[in-house]
Amino acid sequence: MSPTEAALNESTGSRARRRAGVRGIHQHRGVRAATLSTRFGVVLASRHLVSEHPRRRRIVFVAFLQADAAKWNRGQVAVSSGTSISRSSEEVSVGSDALDPHWVRLGGLAGIVACLLFLGAAFITNNTLSSNSSVTQITNFLTSHRSGVLTQTVLTVTGAAISLWFAATLARLILARDQHSPLGMIILVAGAAMTVIASLDGVTLTALEFLSRQGGLTDPSIIRAFYDLENGIIMPGMFGCAAAIFLTALGISMVRGRFTARWVGWTSLLLAALSVVSALVGLTVTNGGTSAVRYFPVISFVLVGVISSIYMLSYRLPIERD
């Protein structure tokens, strides 16, 4: 065996010993010591080539340094990327349920205020009209209850707008606790639909009031159409459908243990069924607006809304576990 071959074999053995030494130093003495040992090992590996091949010595020395630097860079990228991924996943797992308690409590307060406004709008006027009331009776009621009708509309529209804040906060809370189901988005969409429908319920009667003040209640068909929209088709018909979806999605999330107690969830599901019945009556029966089930959707929403708001007001950050 020639001296050159012997030097190359010894260089190969030195490389293996160098790798083993680098691993141990990486674990116990850090990156700086590993870098120094790598360079020292390269110098030892190429020392035997100095006498006969000085140029090859330089080439091998540079090649070893480049290979070691490339491996180190790949290791650093893997370590740094793995650290970032683990940190981001930890932030998602820890922070997914950690909503700001101030926003959650503000949403609960909005829910209580909205429910109070709905209750005030329901009892502020002594509505003695029925679905069979004549056009003259409707006109007389609008003339004698102008301030009450306008106040009822203001309370209804304001309560509907504030309830949207409550529904959005509740939907965000459900979505954070149940990310693998669409229940949070269903609650948000159903809450937005109830906001629009409840506003329309107050606006139709206000439109008749404005026409009465301007002396425009001369067409009985227009009066009857607006009144039937307000008294049966919109409430409880359309509102009952949206409330049933809202209460069903919220009840399922409660039964699954994502929010409040399970008995509240079963109550919400029962009230959702009653809302469906009320909606069918309002959409199919001419006197649905004055039937016994007229207020089922509103009462159901207020009841579940108040309970949910109380739970939201007592919201605390989840305890982090090591």
Side-chain angles (χ1 to χ4, degrees):
M1 180 182 296
S2 63
T4 303
E5 294 177 351
L8 290 176
N9 292 335
E10 186 174 355
S11 174
T12 304
S14 299
R15 185 187 299 179
R17 290 190 298 272
R18 176 180 56 82
R19 290 179 178 176
V22 167
R23 294 193 187 97
I25 295 174
H26 268 274
Q27 296 176 357
H28 300 287
R29 297 188 179 179
V31 176
R32 181 61 180 171
T35 306
L36 292 176
S37 66
T38 301
R39 294 177 181 176
F40 184 70
V42 171
V43 173
L44 291 179
S46 58
R47 180 183 298 175
H48 301 280
L49 303 177
V50 176
S51 59
E52 297 183 7
H53 301 283
R55 185 176 180 182
R56 180 178 297 179
R57 170 190 176 274
R58 291 192 298 269
I59 294 175
V60 172
F61 180 77
V62 174
F64 283 177
L65 285 181
Q66 291 177 349
D68 186 75
K71 292 179 181 179
W72 170 249
N73 290 331
R74 288 196 297 268
Q76 282 294 97
V77 171
V79 171
S80 62
S81 62
T83 303
S84 62
I85 292 173
S86 62
R87 286 181 179 177
S88 61
S89 62
E90 183 180 359
E91 290 174 359
V92 171
S93 61
V94 173
S96 59
D97 192 23
L99 299 180
D100 190 348
H102 296 88
W103 288 110
V104 178
R105 294 167 192 165
L106 184 59
L109 180 61
I112 291 180
V113 173
C115 293
L116 293 177
L117 291 176
F118 282 143
L119 291 177
F123 296 102
I124 196 171
T125 58
N126 185 17
N127 192 349
T128 58
L129 296 176
S130 63
S131 300
N132 298 325
S133 299
S134 63
V135 176
T136 304
Q137 291 175 335
I138 297 174
T139 304
N140 294 334
F141 174 79
L142 295 175
T143 303
S144 59
H145 295 83
R146 287 181 178 178
S147 59
V149 170
L150 296 179
T151 304
Q152 181 182 21
T153 301
V154 171
L155 294 178
T156 302
V157 175
T158 305
I162 297 177
S163 68
L164 183 59
W165 188 298
F166 159 74
T169 306
L170 181 60
R172 177 65 181 87
L173 185 60
I174 297 299
L175 181 62
R177 297 185 174 185
D178 194 359
Q179 300 180 1
H180 301 289
S181 72
L183 295 176
M185 294 302 299
I186 294 174
I187 292 173
L188 177 60
V189 174
M194 287 192 299
T195 299
V196 176
I197 295 171
S199 300
L200 290 176
D201 181 63
V203 168
T204 51
L205 196 61
T206 303
L208 286 178
E209 177 60 40
F210 288 164
L211 289 176
S212 174
R213 183 177 300 181
Q214 298 171 0
L217 291 179
T218 57
D219 191 346
S221 60
I222 294 178
I223 298 174
R224 176 58 61 182
F226 272 85
Y227 185 74
D228 288 341
L229 281 173
E230 189 271 341
N231 194 44
I233 297 178
I234 296 178
M235 181 71 71
M238 297 172 61
F239 187 85
C241 293
I245 296 176
F246 179 87
L247 295 172
T248 300
L250 184 58
I252 293 175
S253 64
M254 292 175 178
V255 172
R256 296 180 64 185
R258 301 299 188 267
F259 183 65
T260 68
R262 285 184 169 84
W263 68 267
V264 183
W266 292 113
T267 303
S268 180
L269 293 176
L270 177 61
L271 295 175
L274 295 177
S275 298
V276 172
V277 175
S278 180
L280 294 177
V281 172
L283 292 174
T284 58
V285 182
T286 56
N287 61 345
T290 56
S291 61
V293 297
R294 166 180 169 81
Y295 295 104
F296 274 173
V298 177
I299 294 175
S300 301
F301 173 77
V302 170
L303 180 60
V304 177
V306 169
I307 297 176
S308 301
S309 298
I310 293 174
Y311 273 84
M312 293 169 69
L313 287 174
S314 60
Y315 177 80
R316 296 291 185 276
L317 283 175
I319 299 176
E320 296 183 1
R321 298 180 178 177
D322 298 332

